[in-house]
């Protein structure tokens, strides 16, 4: 059965976005600092339709490995339509990811609003699931074939899957910065045992992989 | 000038103690899990007056290195007298660390209550500083000689030193567990840039060292 995995950039003080997220500043104040290590990589640029980028760093292999392993994606509705804010309440918002989103696999969006599936360019589709996190995971698993289902976020969705015991593996790209505020990833959890399975470091970031122990 | 350093065990969700700290459960619920990696080491057991322990693991070298480098310690008053709770308000509480505390260097305790210096066995002394974090650091630096000043905690004291720009280096012993609640280390901070300077991994814990960039 396809595993459910999480790969996510986090500050040392635990934030995956800075404070004051807006449409113009979707990562929040200072949040860009969490992703600069990835923006410069060929493996990140290619699925985003950008040429060039670095290939001779360990970070590039980590990102390529994750993309290679991903057969389907699950995300929360606020991540689909652009984060917090009044515009997030528009159930038809879909300008966020463009005509050719960077996923290139089927994406399953958790929402309370039933909506027709959307087929985008480049292999990405958005299927809207109103039946809850288990239903979304079940549909994503069926679409993933022999690859993994990747949990894209946001933080509240990650917390729900963790507490339900449905996440199999997580890889934190730990960025050496304190943001001081924003969206905290590992919050309001319960005691959960992990096992460290791999550490890869580069000049910019440390990739820490864990298995969830059940 | 002696550097101010921090070496501390933290869960992946950012806690340095579990919820519901009491005198009987000073590390809070589940908090022991943060320190099990250290309890078994010869380098940890020796200053605590315990014989035996493992010596052939990377963790042991990390702990020995820190103790070797430490010439003085700064701690908050709640850490001196035992954590949160009504007993923490007794300015004369000192049973906590015993007759032969594990520090074996001069310790400077931040407090609002002036109090006579106490000389303990084994090289540990407790000096009570009412002049604030800069005064405590100044006194600790004078006592540290050519070694480092080690910041022992708690979390509020660490946050004060970080925000004042007085911490030079930090090493987080990242433990693969979610505690789900308790005392969060890196909270209520401001944006601060770090530089990762070393990663050492073992089966039980990952030691992540950072320099504070000014």
């Amino acid at each position: 059965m396809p595993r459910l995995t999480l790969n996510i950039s986090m500050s040392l003080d635990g934030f995956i976005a800075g404070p004051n997220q807006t449409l113009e500043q979707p990562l929040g104040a200072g949040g860009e600092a969490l992703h600069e290590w990835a923006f410069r990589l060929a493996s990140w640029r290619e699925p985003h339709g950008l040429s060039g980028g670095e290939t001779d760093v360990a970070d590039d292999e980590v990102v390529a490995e994750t993309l290679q392993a991903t057969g389907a994606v699950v995300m929360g509705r606020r991540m689909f339509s652009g984060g917090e804010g009044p515009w997030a309440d528009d159930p038809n918002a879909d300008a966020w990811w463009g005509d050719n989103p960077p996923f290139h696999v089927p994406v399953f969006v958790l929402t309370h609003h039933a909506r027709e599936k959307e087929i985008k360019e480049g292999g990405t589709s958005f299927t809207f699931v109103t039946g809850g996190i288990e239903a979304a995971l079940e549909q994503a698993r069926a679409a993933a074939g022999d690859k993994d289902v990747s949990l894209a976020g946001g933080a509240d969705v990650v917390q729900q899957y963790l507490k339900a015991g449905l996440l199999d593996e997580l890889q934190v790209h730990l960025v050496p910065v304190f943001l001081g505020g924003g969206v905290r990833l590992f919050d309001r959890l319960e005691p959960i045992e992990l096992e460290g399975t791999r550490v890869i470091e580069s000049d910019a970031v440390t990739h820490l992989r864990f298995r969830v122990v059940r």
Side-chain angles (χ1 to χ4, degrees), chain A:
Chain A
M1 191 166 64
R3 302 176 312 158
L4 181 64
T5 63
L6 169 71
N7 291 274
I8 198 159
S9 292
M10 184 179 90
S11 69
L12 184 57
D13 53 350
F15 297 106
I16 57 170
N20 306 317
Q21 285 181 297
T22 63
L23 262 183
E24 290 69 38
Q25 185 179 261
L27 301 172
E32 297 270 323
L34 299 180
H35 302 280
E36 275 158 11
W37 69 272
F39 293 158
R40 62 187 170 76
L41 303 175
S43 57
W44 187 89
R45 297 175 63 83
E46 195 273 333
H48 287 79
L50 301 168
S51 60
E54 297 177 31
T55 57
D56 57 347
V57 291
D59 299 336
D60 192 59
E61 284 170 45
V62 170
V63 171
E65 173 189 62
T66 299
L67 294 174
Q68 194 69 30
T70 299
V73 168
V74 171
M75 68 170 60
R77 209 269 299 142
R78 280 197 297 269
M79 185 159 181
F80 168 71
S81 58
E84 302 283 351
W87 38 271
D89 293 327
D90 174 6
N92 295 314
D94 69 345
W96 190 250
W97 293 106
D99 294 330
N100 189 349
F103 304 103
H104 309 294
V105 294
V107 177
F108 296 83
V109 181
L110 289 156
T111 176
H112 297 295
H113 299 271
R115 183 173 164 177
E116 286 294 305
K117 178 176 177 176
E118 286 194 30
I119 311 286
K120 298 287 186 176
E121 297 169 18
T124 300
S125 60
F126 291 109
T127 301
F128 300 87
V129 182
T130 57
I133 62 171
E134 296 197 30
L137 177 56
E138 194 177 323
Q139 291 186 45
R141 278 191 171 134
D146 57 359
K147 296 191 172 186
D148 294 337
V149 176
S150 176
L151 191 52
D156 57 338
V157 171
V158 172
Q159 291 157 20
Q160 287 178 53
Y161 276 103
L162 265 171
K163 284 197 274 197
L166 294 171
L167 193 69
D168 296 295
E169 183 182 284
L170 53 154
Q171 182 167 243
V172 174
H173 313 299
L174 192 70
V175 178
V177 69
F178 292 126
L179 290 188
V183 179
R184 209 184 275 281
L185 178 59
F186 298 128
D187 206 7
R188 299 179 294 273
L189 292 174
E190 289 148 16
I192 297 171
E193 192 184 342
L194 305 170
E195 181 194 0
T197 54
R198 191 178 76 178
V199 179
I200 293 178
E201 58 175 313
S202 76
D203 288 347
V205 61
T206 305
H207 310 279
L208 301 154
R209 203 165 67 180
F210 304 92
R211 184 177 70 84
V212 179
V213 178
R214 298 214 177 82

